[in-house]
Amino acid sequence: MFVTRLISGIVLVILAFGAIYAGDLVLLATMYLVSLVGFRELTKAAGVNKEGKGFNAFECIGFLGITGYYVCLHFWAFGAVIMLCLILSLMCMLGAYVFLFLLYQF
């Protein structure tokens, strides 16, 4: 078990250094994929997504927010547009929480 985790850790460090060295779009795409996987794992750990079910409203809004953030980061790399994208995705997520409150047991 330890050896498997050690080998996978070494491979991931090598891939991370490769993405950092390549920079620009390779690094952006790598960080985008890591963000999507991390958000998916966070929703599973928080109990928002139940096992065996598809994506729900919170996950879809979160994925769209992450996608919007990285699109804004790539095309408009200044603070006002990026902050607007973050605030918009947060407002959508809170709106979904208000309207779908009874469906979820947090």
Side-chain angles (χ1 to χ4, degrees), residues 46-66:
V48 174
N49 185 357
K50 304 297 182 213
E51 288 295 325
K53 292 189 176 180
F55 297 113
N56 56 24
F58 291 114
E59 287 178 312
C60 291
I61 292 170
F63 291 146
L64 288 174
I66 291 169

Side-chain angles (χ1 to χ4, degrees), residues 2 8 14 37 46 50 53 59 70 79 83 89 91 95-96 102:
F2 174 74
S8 66
I14 292 170
V37 170
K50 304 297 182 213
K53 292 189 176 180
E59 287 178 312
Y70 280 101
M83 186 60 69
S89 64
M91 286 176 60
L102 297 176

Side-chain angles (χ1 to χ4, degrees), residues 1 4-5 10 13 15 17 23-25 30 32 35 38 44 64 69 75 81-82 84 86 89 93 98 102 104:
M1 183 74 165
T4 306
R5 288 186 184 262
I10 291 170
V13 166
L15 289 175
F17 280 135
D24 202 26
L25 287 178
T30 304
Y32 173 67
S35 297
K44 281 184 182 178
L64 288 174
Y69 172 76
F75 290 111
V81 176
I82 294 173
L84 181 66
L86 290 174
S89 64
M93 210 173 248
V98 167
L102 297 176
Y104 298 101

